[in-house]
């Protein structure tokens, strides 16, 4: 549901320029606008982010091979899944733990993803 959550976050106006959560929809929108080829990036939902966290070592091998940005062992990442208006879920990728944090904290990072399909 990351795509649907991201669309809802983008539709919500930024409320605090100091809060990453409040602005990550705008960041995602601007990131997509800046891309020349793929414009379908979104903020992963909690389940998607958890799978990324569980498989980060394998993913980092691929990112390294393609000169991409690896997922830091110490990353705390916001998901697009919200508990309610004031709180959202995040993942600590080192411990693979889920937390619920106030959106105004703004300490956590955001990682955009996109769906890849394999053509047969």
């Amino acid at each position: 549901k990351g795509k649907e959550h991201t669309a809802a976050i983008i539709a919500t106006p930024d409320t605090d320029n100091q809060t990453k959560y409040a602005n990550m929809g705008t960041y995602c929108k601007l990131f997509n606008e800046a891309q020349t080829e793929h414009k379908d990036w979104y903020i992963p939902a909690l389940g998607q982010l958890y799978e990324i966290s569980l498989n980060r070592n394998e993913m980092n091998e691929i990112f390294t091979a393609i000169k991409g940005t690896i997922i830091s062992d110490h990353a705390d990442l916001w998901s697009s899944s919200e508990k309610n208006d004031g709180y959202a879920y995040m993942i600590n990728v080192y411990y693979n733990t889920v937390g619920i944090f106030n959106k105004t904290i703004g300490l956590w990072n955001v990682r955009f993803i996109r769906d890849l399909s394999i053509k047969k």
Side-chain angles (χ1 to χ4, degrees), residues 27-39 41:
Y27 297 153
C28 189
K29 180 180 175 187
L30 293 172
F31 182 81
N32 276 312
E33 289 172 358
Q35 301 306 303
T36 55
E37 190 172 344
H38 303 288
K39 297 180 178 281
W41 296 87

Side-chain angles (χ1 to χ4, degrees):
K1 292 209 172 210
K3 288 181 186 179
E4 294 87 0
H5 294 167
T6 301
I9 293 168
I10 289 172
T12 304
D14 294 350
T15 56
D16 179 353
N17 291 331
Q18 303 303 313
T19 302
K20 286 183 182 179
Y21 195 91
N23 296 309
M24 70 182 181
T26 298
Y27 297 153
C28 189
K29 180 180 175 187
L30 293 172
F31 182 81
N32 276 312
E33 289 172 358
Q35 301 306 303
T36 55
E37 190 172 344
H38 303 288
K39 297 180 178 281
D40 57 349
W41 296 87
Y42 62 93
I43 304 157
L46 181 61
Q48 294 168 310
L49 197 55
Y50 189 71
E51 288 296 321
I52 290 168
S53 178
L54 289 176
N55 296 293
R56 85 175 180 289
N57 292 331
E58 293 84 0
M59 294 179 72
N60 280 342
E61 288 178 17
I62 295 167
F63 293 147
T64 300
I66 64 171
K67 298 185 182 355
T69 304
I70 64 168
I71 301 168
S72 168
D73 288 343
H74 302 289
D76 293 307
L77 300 171
W78 281 117
S79 78
S80 60
S81 301
E82 300 175 312
K83 178 170 175 58
N84 56 40
D85 286 343
Y87 291 85
Y89 295 94
M90 56 76 58
I91 295 268
N92 175 290
V93 297
Y94 184 76
Y95 295 107
N96 295 318
T97 55
V98 175
I100 302 169
F101 285 89
N102 188 308
K103 293 178 189 177
T104 61
I105 291 176
L107 297 175
W108 320 126
N109 296 307
V110 178
R111 179 101 183 190
F112 304 133
I113 64 171
R114 58 184 292 269
D115 292 335
L116 300 176
S117 61
I118 299 172
K119 296 180 181 179
K120 295 182 181 183

